[in-house]
């Protein structure tokens, strides 16, 4: 499924996507922090490196991409006067 650009979306789709992206970003940050904490704890407890500490770094990229999409949607909302 190809996603539409924000300028091609209806007002309802724009608002729905903004709400969804906010939830996805929040959940991604929470999951990354929990995995980072678990990875650090496992590294200290077992006295050897745990691969779990590297996963939150890759999740950070996904969060950044979603945050940029959210910014684009918010700019489009502002240009349409949907504040």
């Amino acid at each position: 499924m190809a996603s539409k650009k924000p300028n091609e979306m209806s007002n309802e789709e724009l608002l729905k996507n903004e709400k969804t992206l906010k939830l996805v970003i929040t959940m991604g940050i929470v999951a990354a922090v929990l995995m980072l904490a678990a990875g650090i704890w496992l590294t200290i407890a077992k006295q050897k490196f745990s691969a779990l500490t590297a996963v939150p770094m890759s999740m950070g990229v996904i969060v950044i991409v979603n945050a940029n999409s959210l910014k684009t949607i918010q700019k489009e909302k502002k240009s349409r006067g949907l504040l």
Side-chain angles (χ1 to χ4, degrees), residues 9-82:
M9 293 181 193
S10 68
N11 291 344
E12 293 80 25
E13 287 176 318
L14 205 61
L15 295 171
K16 182 180 176 187
N17 282 344
E18 179 187 29
K19 187 176 179 180
T20 303
L21 275 174
K22 284 181 180 180
L23 179 67
V24 168
I25 291 169
T26 303
M27 291 181 72
I29 290 171
V30 169
V33 168
L34 289 175
M35 281 193 281
L36 183 62
I40 290 171
W41 181 77
L42 286 172
T43 300
I44 292 170
K46 292 187 177 184
Q47 305 252 332
K48 64 180 187 177
F49 179 74
S50 172
L52 192 59
T53 50
V55 174
M57 304 306 170
S58 61
M59 285 188 66
V61 174
I62 296 169
V63 169
I64 290 170
V65 168
N66 285 330
N68 287 337
S69 296
L70 181 62
K71 275 186 185 177
T72 305
I73 287 175
Q74 288 174 337
K75 283 181 185 176
E76 182 65 26
K77 248 180 64 176
K78 188 175 181 179
S79 71
R80 293 183 189 187
L82 294 175

